[in-house]
Amino acid sequence: NAGVMQNPRHLVRRRGQEARLRCSPMKGHSHVYWYRQLPEEGLKFMVYLQKENIIDESGMPKERFSAEFPKEGPSILRIQQVVRGDSAAYFCASSPLDAHEQYFGPGTRLTVT
Amino acid sequence: EDKVVQSPLSLVVHEGDTVTLNCSYEVTNFRSLLWYKQEKKAPTFLFMLTSSGIEKKSGRLSSILDKKELFSILNITATQTGDSAVYLCAYSRAGGTSYGKLTFGQGTILTVHP
């Protein structure tokens, strides 16, 4: 049973470009969560999605960030007009039912130059 | 304000030692407390605790929750160098739309020397 998959694993973007991060949950999981880990900081919740629904986006910055989990395909975290402060590791997690344990993917390390 | 605090922040031991990591929390509408191990990659799930006083065990690792005193401990016996990692605790809340959100502590950095 494949785990949570994320791609790309490493992404380099210049300031002002767009970053798209993808997450495929574990088989049988319909709940997806995105977290961000800034250098030397802890994991911070960003958004919780179910298929075609955003359940909780209380951790998402108000501008430039968006997330979706379409009926078909992976969940996408999109960052528009990236700035140096967006450089971080972005982790996706999934769970089979709401509020059960979450299983994390390997993360995408975004570097903004 | 809800919070979760881990102690110690770092710990250095030798192989074979037993360690106890602490996680205290203050959370309204508490639902569960989770432990993860993070090496230089994704956090790996260890335990989820919802009931007070019931120990969860997996090999050399065990964990227990005290809902009255609002803390949890993670024990590792007979430590090995492969146990070196950051250990994270996190809580989830019940109710509303925030039940999917995990809030993490700052972590305990464990280093096990041969």
Side-chain angles (χ1 to χ4, degrees), chain A:
Chain A
N1 189 11
V4 178
M5 299 178 70
Q6 291 186 250
N7 67 80
R9 295 290 302 277
H10 300 275
L11 182 61
V12 179
R13 284 287 177 266
R14 291 200 180 104
R15 278 178 297 171
Q17 290 185 320
E18 179 180 288
R20 281 190 181 227
L21 288 62
R22 295 174 195 79
C23 168
S24 296
M26 286 178 71
K27 188 176 180 180
H29 289 193
S30 57
H31 299 248
V32 165
Y33 316 82
W34 287 93
Y35 293 82
R36 177 165 66 174
Q37 190 167 37
L38 293 165
E40 308 304 322
E41 290 191 19
L43 279 162
K44 302 289 186 190
F45 169 83
M46 299 181 76
V47 63
Y48 164 30
L49 309 108
Q50 296 176 20
K51 288 281 186 182
E52 299 185 285
N53 278 309
I54 297 174
I55 306 303
D56 180 4
E57 56 182 346
S58 59
M60 288 279 270
K62 293 285 186 274
E63 298 175 349
R64 303 189 296 108
F65 285 72
S66 62
E68 62 175 4
F69 189 16
K71 189 176 179 181
E72 301 291 337
S75 175
I76 306 285
L77 179 67
R78 183 181 176 208
I79 312 172
Q80 295 178 291
Q81 299 174 341
V82 296
V83 300
R84 288 231 173 100
D86 296 332
S87 295
Y90 291 82
F91 291 98
C92 168
S94 71
S95 69
L97 291 169
D98 54 283
H100 281 217
E101 59 264 29
Q102 297 177 19
Y103 296 89
F104 283 78
T108 293
R109 275 155 181 80
L110 172 66
T111 302
V112 179
T113 62

Side-chain angles (χ1 to χ4, degrees), chain A residues 9 31 33 35 37 42-45 48 50 55-56 58 91 98-107 109, chain B residues 31-32 34 36 38-45 48 88 92-93 97-106:
Chain A
R9 295 290 302 277
H31 299 248
Y33 316 82
Y35 293 82
Q37 190 167 37
L43 279 162
K44 302 289 186 190
F45 169 83
Y48 164 30
Q50 296 176 20
I55 306 303
D56 180 4
S58 59
F91 291 98
D98 54 283
H100 281 217
E101 59 264 29
Q102 297 177 19
Y103 296 89
F104 283 78
R109 275 155 181 80
Chain B
R31 187 189 185 279
S32 62
L34 297 91
Y36 287 85
Q38 186 175 25
E39 296 164 275
K40 290 183 188 287
K41 50 185 180 179
T44 303
F45 172 76
M48 184 174 79
L88 301 166
S92 70
R93 297 174 63 191
T97 57
S98 62
Y99 53 80
K101 171 183 176 180
L102 293 182
T103 301
F104 285 85
Q106 71 274 53

